[in-house]
Amino acid sequence: MYTERASRLTGAVVWTKSPAGTGTRPVLPDGCMDLLWSEGRLLVAGPDTRPYAPEGPARSWAGIRFFPGTAPALLGVPAHELRDLRVELADLWPAARVRRLRDRLAAAPDPASALEDIALERAAEAGTPDPLLRRLVECLDEGRPVSATAAELGLGERRLHRRCLTAFGYGPKTLARILRLRRALALARAGTPYVETAIRAGYADQPHLAREVRRLAGMPLGELLAGGG
C-alpha cells in the first residue's frame, strides 16, 4: 500500500509504502531524488533515467521526495554522481552523523515524519533553493523548448546543460522528456484518450507517445495504466 502527502518542505512529498500483493512495481523516472528509510537503512535514490525495479523481498519504506533539482544542495553531492543509483547515505555523509540519524529514525513512532524533520533541518542549513532551477522546471514542464528556456534564464545552452547535470543528473532535454512523460501519465490516468493525451502533453502524435513511454517506463502505456508501474 502506498500513501503520500505534501511536505512542509516546499515542493517535497512525504510517502510511505508497505508490502501488498505479490508483485513489485517498477519506479518510473520523475525528475526527483528521494531520501529513504527501510529496516534500519538510510539511503538516497538518485535521479532515474529508466524504470527502477526494486530487488529482494518486499519491505516497508518511508521516504521524502524532493522537488526536482533541490536535493543536491541538501545532500552536498552533484545529482549526476547518483544517476540511476540507490546508495547508502553513509557513503555521502560522515558515518557518525548518519549513525545518529539512523538511531533517531529507529526510535521515531512515525519514521516518515522524522525523515521530513531531518530534511527541514538540512534545508535550513543549506539556505534558500536556487530560484533559477525552479523556473527551469516550470518552463520545461510547460513544454517550452530548451533553447527558449535557456534564453529566458539568461544562460547559454552549454552552461544550462552543466547546471542541469549538477541539479538533475542529466541534461535539460532528458529532464524535459521525463516531465512530459509525467504530464502524459497524469492525463491518461484521468481518462483522457491516448490521441488527446499525446497532443496535450506535447508529443507529435500517439505513436511518439507510445515510443517514449516504452523508452522511459519500459512497458506499453496500457500495461502501465493497468498497474504495471
Side-chain angles (χ1 to χ4, degrees), residues 1 16 25 30 36-37 46 56 78 86 90 102 112 137 163 172 187 214 220 222 225 229:
M1 179 179 178
T16 61
R25 298 178 181 181
D30 59 6
L36 310 172
W37 170 256
R86 270 66 179 163
R102 285 200 300 259
V137 173
R163 293 285 294 270
L187 288 166
R214 278 188 172 275
L225 297 178

Side-chain angles (χ1 to χ4, degrees), residues 9 76 83 105 122 140 154 164 176-177 191 216 221:
L9 180 63
R83 184 171 53 236
L105 286 161
R122 184 66 195 99
L140 295 181
C164 283
R177 290 174 60 211
L216 290 173
L221 181 56

Side-chain angles (χ1 to χ4, degrees), residues 10-63:
T10 302
V13 172
V14 178
W15 59 269
T16 61
K17 185 177 184 297
S18 56
T22 57
T24 301
R25 298 178 181 181
V27 179
L28 303 184
D30 59 6
C32 302
M33 294 172 58
D34 295 54
L35 183 61
L36 310 172
W37 170 256
S38 180
E39 299 180 3
R41 299 179 67 196
L42 194 52
L43 304 100
V44 174
D48 292 321
T49 60
R50 55 180 181 263
Y52 170 77
E55 298 178 350
R59 59 173 65 181
S60 295
W61 292 89

Side-chain angles (χ1 to χ4, degrees), residues 171-196:
K173 291 183 179 179
T174 298
L175 176 61
R177 290 174 60 211
I178 289 171
L179 295 175
R180 183 175 59 186
L181 174 67
R182 293 203 317 183
R183 295 196 301 274
L185 291 179
L187 288 166
R189 285 171 175 150
T192 306
Y194 290 179
V195 173
E196 184 181 348

Side-chain angles (χ1 to χ4, degrees), residues 4-229:
E4 67 175 38
R5 63 171 174 81
S7 172
R8 288 173 289 146
L9 180 63
T10 302
V13 172
V14 178
W15 59 269
T16 61
K17 185 177 184 297
S18 56
T22 57
T24 301
R25 298 178 181 181
V27 179
L28 303 184
D30 59 6
C32 302
M33 294 172 58
D34 295 54
L35 183 61
L36 310 172
W37 170 256
S38 180
E39 299 180 3
R41 299 179 67 196
L42 194 52
L43 304 100
V44 174
D48 292 321
T49 60
R50 55 180 181 263
Y52 170 77
E55 298 178 350
R59 59 173 65 181
S60 295
W61 292 89
I64 180 164
R65 181 175 305 114
F66 299 103
F67 186 82
T70 60
L74 303 182
L75 299 172
V77 60
H80 64 82
E81 294 186 6
L82 304 177
R83 184 171 53 236
D84 294 317
L85 297 175
R86 270 66 179 163
V87 301
E88 300 282 348
L89 185 61
D91 292 338
L92 308 177
W93 287 6
R97 181 180 184 185
V98 175
R99 186 163 53 250
R100 289 193 297 271
L101 294 178
R102 285 200 300 259
D103 292 344
R104 176 176 169 183
L105 286 161
D110 180 4
S113 293
L115 269 181
E116 182 182 26
D117 290 340
I118 291 168
L120 285 164
E121 292 163 8
R122 184 66 195 99
E125 296 171 2
T128 304
D130 186 348
L132 182 145
L133 296 176
R134 179 172 287 271
R135 183 57 187 154
L136 170 61
V137 173
E138 292 172 348
C139 288
L140 295 181
D141 202 24
E142 291 169 0
R144 299 190 187 187
V146 170
S147 57
T149 298
E152 176 179 327
L153 298 177
L155 298 174
E157 290 193 45
R158 289 186 179 179
R159 186 178 174 196
L160 177 62
H161 187 83
R162 290 195 297 270
R163 293 285 294 270
C164 283
L165 286 178
T166 299
F168 306 102
Y170 31 64
K173 291 183 179 179
T174 298
L175 176 61
R177 290 174 60 211
I178 289 171
L179 295 175
R180 183 175 59 186
L181 174 67
R182 293 203 317 183
R183 295 196 301 274
L185 291 179
L187 288 166
R189 285 171 175 150
T192 306
Y194 290 179
V195 173
E196 184 181 348
T197 289
I199 300 304
R200 289 176 58 184
Y203 295 93
D205 49 29
Q206 185 177 339
H208 184 202
L209 166 64
R211 291 193 300 272
E212 281 290 275
V213 170
R214 278 188 172 275
R215 288 168 181 161
L216 290 173
M219 65 183 72
L221 181 56
E223 182 180 343
L224 195 58
L225 297 178

